[in-house]
Amino acid sequence: MQLDELNQQLDFGMRVYVHYLGAHIKVGKHYKSPFGHDGRDSFDLFRRGDGQICFCDHAMTGKDGGELQGSCYDFVAAMFSCDFKDAVRIIKRDILGLSSREIEGAYSKPLATRFKPLVGNLMPEVVTITPNARHFTPADLAFFARTGITEATLARYHCYALNSYQFSKGEKAFTLTAKDNDPMYGFHFPLTGHWKIYRPFAADKRYKWISNVDAQQDLFGWDALPDRCSKIYICAGQRDTMNMHQLTGLPAIALNSETAKLSPEVYQLLTCIADEVLCCLDNDDTGHKAQERLRYDWGIMDAGREVLESTGHNDLTDYLTDLHLSYGEGMFYERQQAAEHFQAFSARKLLI
């Protein structure tokens, strides 16, 4: 049986994932890893251009040092700790039900009878976040005003000040209350009802961000996009997105994280709205890798690295914060220079 015929019988790999991981598994959703790490929803399936359904585990490392990913054959090879040939034979046995006589070739070693890693239930537990909102105080507004963000921009991006929020996941539930030295802000995603909680001064940085957002469905700023515009910026996070809009007047969005992949569907919608899609991500290794991936996958050019590298800043928010600390209300000229750079930047001009 040739590999092309096998691919057809395996529904381009989907039958393999359903067999080992359960009938609920779907392309584009995030699940707990079947490889037994810390339990985060880091495992997902995606469809390649040739139709093959591949997997990616963002928290596991492959042989090349990058994320563990590949075809359904690579998945079985990782599950059983075997090579490609034995992975094909295991699939023929377990998925197609062929006997050892029907499977071509002699085994290089006895095939495993059960997969080695811990699989368990891959379905993510339902996480509920219930916020208790309050009015913005002068201290809240002053915090965001350090980079120029106004109350109107906070409203545009559905940012709320919170007295507290309740978090529940399975049998675990707790309530956290804001303090004067530990304020809480909530970003609401109205299309799904999800929340992302922001505690800028949290003592434990693990709890600076808490959310129940969906990596594929929740794009920050998506509902605020216009019908048509000249440019859209993809930014690193919530504050950078608001700062970009406040600074330039241009629409901006953020993916779920810098490591999140831009889907073909979202890219096509963005190109229907804007003449150009650009990015301004963090000036660090993670940001640079994300920038390169956007440029390689979609031709999206980075407009922010020149500004951030020349000033020695990690992101747009850090840069604008330092401008405020250095110049206070007199930072108009520097902000105007940055605004004009992002407004005028064009990938098309770079290619001429």
Side-chain angles (χ1 to χ4, degrees), residues 16 31 95 113 116 172 194 196 202 226 235 248 301-302 324 329 349:
V16 174
Y31 302 93
I95 312 298
T113 57
K116 180 179 176 182
K172 179 172 62 176
H194 295 156
K196 199 165 190 177
C235 296
T248 65
M301 302 295 289
D302 169 40
H324 180 82
E329 299 301 323
K349 292 179 182 177

Side-chain angles (χ1 to χ4, degrees), residues 38-91:
D38 61 3
R40 288 180 292 168
D41 297 338
S42 60
F43 179 89
D44 66 270
L45 303 181
F46 63 95
R47 191 181 295 274
R48 279 193 329 218
D50 62 359
Q52 285 292 321
I53 298 175
C54 297
F55 78 98
C56 182
D57 195 320
H58 303 282
M60 299 296 287
T61 303
K63 293 180 181 179
D64 61 355
E67 295 173 337
L68 179 61
Q69 59 180 313
S71 68
C72 65
Y73 308 106
D74 298 310
F75 173 76
V76 171
M79 294 284 281
F80 286 90
S81 299
C82 65
D83 60 20
F84 179 83
K85 289 184 178 179
D86 281 341
V88 171
R89 293 164 180 157
I90 289 171
I91 287 171

Side-chain angles (χ1 to χ4, degrees), residues 30-34 37 39-43 121-125:
H30 283 243
Y31 302 93
K32 294 178 183 177
S33 170
H37 62 86
R40 288 180 292 168
D41 297 338
S42 60
F43 179 89
N121 180 16
L122 297 188
M123 287 295 288
E125 294 182 81

Side-chain angles (χ1 to χ4, degrees), residues 37-282:
H37 62 86
D38 61 3
R40 288 180 292 168
D41 297 338
S42 60
F43 179 89
D44 66 270
L45 303 181
F46 63 95
R47 191 181 295 274
R48 279 193 329 218
D50 62 359
Q52 285 292 321
I53 298 175
C54 297
F55 78 98
C56 182
D57 195 320
H58 303 282
M60 299 296 287
T61 303
K63 293 180 181 179
D64 61 355
E67 295 173 337
L68 179 61
Q69 59 180 313
S71 68
C72 65
Y73 308 106
D74 298 310
F75 173 76
V76 171
M79 294 284 281
F80 286 90
S81 299
C82 65
D83 60 20
F84 179 83
K85 289 184 178 179
D86 281 341
V88 171
R89 293 164 180 157
I90 289 171
I91 287 171
K92 289 180 178 179
R93 180 197 66 193
D94 291 356
I95 312 298
L96 303 184
L98 300 181
S99 67
S100 57
R101 289 186 178 183
E102 295 172 302
I103 300 174
E104 309 93 342
Y107 297 153
S108 59
K109 59 182 178 181
L111 293 184
T113 57
R114 59 191 299 273
F115 44 86
K116 180 179 176 182
L118 170 67
V119 176
N121 180 16
L122 297 188
M123 287 295 288
E125 294 182 81
V126 176
V127 174
T128 301
I129 293 178
T130 307
N132 176 19
R134 59 175 173 80
H135 293 295
F136 284 106
T137 66
D140 296 320
L141 297 177
F143 167 71
F144 288 104
R146 291 189 302 177
T147 57
I149 295 174
T150 64
E151 192 168 3
T153 296
L154 294 172
R156 177 187 179 90
Y157 286 96
H158 309 290
C159 178
Y160 300 87
L162 306 180
N163 278 321
S164 63
Y165 73 91
Q166 184 183 59
F167 176 97
S168 63
K169 182 178 182 180
E171 298 180 354
K172 179 172 62 176
F174 58 84
T175 299
L176 286 180
T177 303
K179 301 175 183 177
D180 290 341
N181 63 347
D182 185 14
M184 296 178 180
Y185 305 102
F187 294 100
H188 187 223
F189 293 80
L191 299 180
T192 60
H194 295 156
W195 286 85
K196 199 165 190 177
I197 307 299
Y198 175 45
R199 294 170 58 194
F201 307 116
D204 189 336
K205 298 305 179 184
R206 292 178 300 172
Y207 302 108
K208 183 176 181 178
W209 293 97
I210 296 288
S211 76
N212 63 347
V213 299
D214 182 279
Q216 302 299 316
Q217 297 183 60
D218 293 316
L219 296 173
F220 183 70
W222 184 261
D223 64 297
L225 292 178
D227 293 334
R228 282 292 301 169
C229 61
S230 60
K231 295 180 177 71
I232 289 176
Y233 271 95
I234 298 175
C235 296
Q238 280 66 39
R239 287 184 67 190
D240 277 5
T241 300
M242 293 191 295
N243 279 319
M244 179 62 76
H245 174 70
Q246 187 74 56
L247 185 69
T248 65
L250 296 171
I253 64 169
L255 305 180
N256 187 250
S257 69
E258 282 194 296
T259 58
K261 293 182 179 179
L262 180 64
S263 70
E265 294 79 9
V266 170
Y267 175 72
Q268 289 173 359
L269 289 171
L270 291 176
T271 56
C272 289
I273 297 171
D275 297 328
E276 279 195 290
V277 181
L278 302 165
C279 71
C280 176
L281 304 182
D282 286 355

